[in-house]
């Protein structure tokens, strides 16, 4: 769902667990958010952007794409 975020994670070799550790939440929570089951709250998105992806715009990182399944 968040193709840009996933692409930036791959570029930096960051895992879902890295995002979970940054946010202080469970791995499954981040999985659910990445898959669109739940949304990222603004404070979570801002923290990820500031701490892990400072070179990226928050709008770019969290642009939602519909799956083609």
């Amino acid at each position: 769902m968040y193709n840009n975020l996933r692409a930036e994670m791959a570029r930096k070799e960051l895992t879902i667990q890295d995002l979970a550790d940054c946010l202080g939440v469970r791995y499954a929570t981040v999985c659910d958010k990445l898959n669109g089951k739940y949304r990222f709250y603004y404070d979570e998105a801002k923290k990820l952007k500031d701490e892990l992806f400072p070179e990226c715009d928050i709008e770019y990182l969290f642009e939602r794409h519909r799956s083609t399944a």
Side-chain angles (χ1 to χ4, degrees):
M1 171 146 284
Y2 294 97
N3 297 347
N4 297 340
L5 178 57
R6 288 182 184 272
E8 294 302 325
M9 288 170 63
R11 281 188 194 98
K12 292 190 166 204
E13 298 181 358
L14 294 172
T15 65
I16 292 171
Q17 188 61 55
D18 293 325
L19 272 64
D21 292 343
C22 179
L23 295 175
V25 298
R26 296 178 313 122
Y27 175 94
T29 301
V30 175
C31 280
D32 287 345
K33 289 174 183 271
L34 284 172
N35 292 324
K37 186 172 181 182
Y38 301 107
R39 67 182 182 95
F40 281 96
Y41 291 101
Y42 178 78
D43 61 326
E44 295 171 327
K46 178 121 174 57
K47 184 170 188 170
L48 290 174
K49 182 255 185 283
D50 290 346
E51 294 188 18
L52 301 177
F53 308 100
E55 69 285 354
C56 296
D57 290 331
I58 197 167
E59 294 85 1
Y60 162 76
L61 282 174
F62 292 94
E63 180 180 358
R64 293 176 65 141
H65 299 89
R66 294 183 187 261
S67 73
T68 57

